[in-house]
Amino acid sequence: MLLDLVSLRVSQINGCGFCLDMQTKELRAKGVSEQVPYLLSLRREVPSLYSSREKAALAWAEVLTKLGEHGVLDDVFDTARGLKTRQVRPSAMRRFATICASASITCPVRR
């Protein structure tokens, strides 16, 4: 579910309606509460809804999606260090790259 949340958040930032629809339906089909995808962009307002691991991964995804001239802020990088497991970081980075590339291709091609 962690990578699904990351994908959904990146799609929110990129404004890909097709991706948002698809990913929200996938999360709901997996039995995730309606609140989780609906409140994702406001997760700081409802901190009890997301685990510390989810919050760290989402913060990392947000920073990388909006990467500017200053790069990754130290506090976000330090929080993301908690994701340094052999499975999560590489998988999250691949998923992040895939969803950003997909959004770059599908968003401009309005269906």
Side-chain angles (χ1 to χ4, degrees), residues 68-96:
E69 63 184 75
H70 301 293
V72 178
L73 300 175
D74 290 341
D75 63 328
V76 175
F77 185 80
D78 291 341
T79 302
R81 285 179 197 244
L83 299 174
K84 279 190 176 176
T85 65
R86 289 190 178 146
Q87 293 111 358
V88 175
R89 290 276 301 276
S91 295
M93 292 306 292
R94 280 192 300 275
R95 176 71 70 97
F96 168 77

Side-chain angles (χ1 to χ4, degrees), residues 28-75:
R28 295 290 295 129
K30 291 179 180 180
V32 173
S33 160
E34 285 183 10
Q35 290 180 306
V36 172
Y38 296 160
L39 296 174
L40 187 57
S41 63
L42 300 171
R43 73 185 176 286
R44 291 173 188 90
E45 307 283 329
V46 284
S48 61
L49 193 57
Y50 303 95
S51 71
S52 57
R53 188 168 182 236
E54 290 168 340
K55 288 183 233 178
L58 292 164
W60 185 247
E62 285 179 1
V63 167
L64 293 179
T65 304
K66 301 176 189 177
L67 196 59
E69 63 184 75
H70 301 293
V72 178
L73 300 175
D74 290 341
D75 63 328

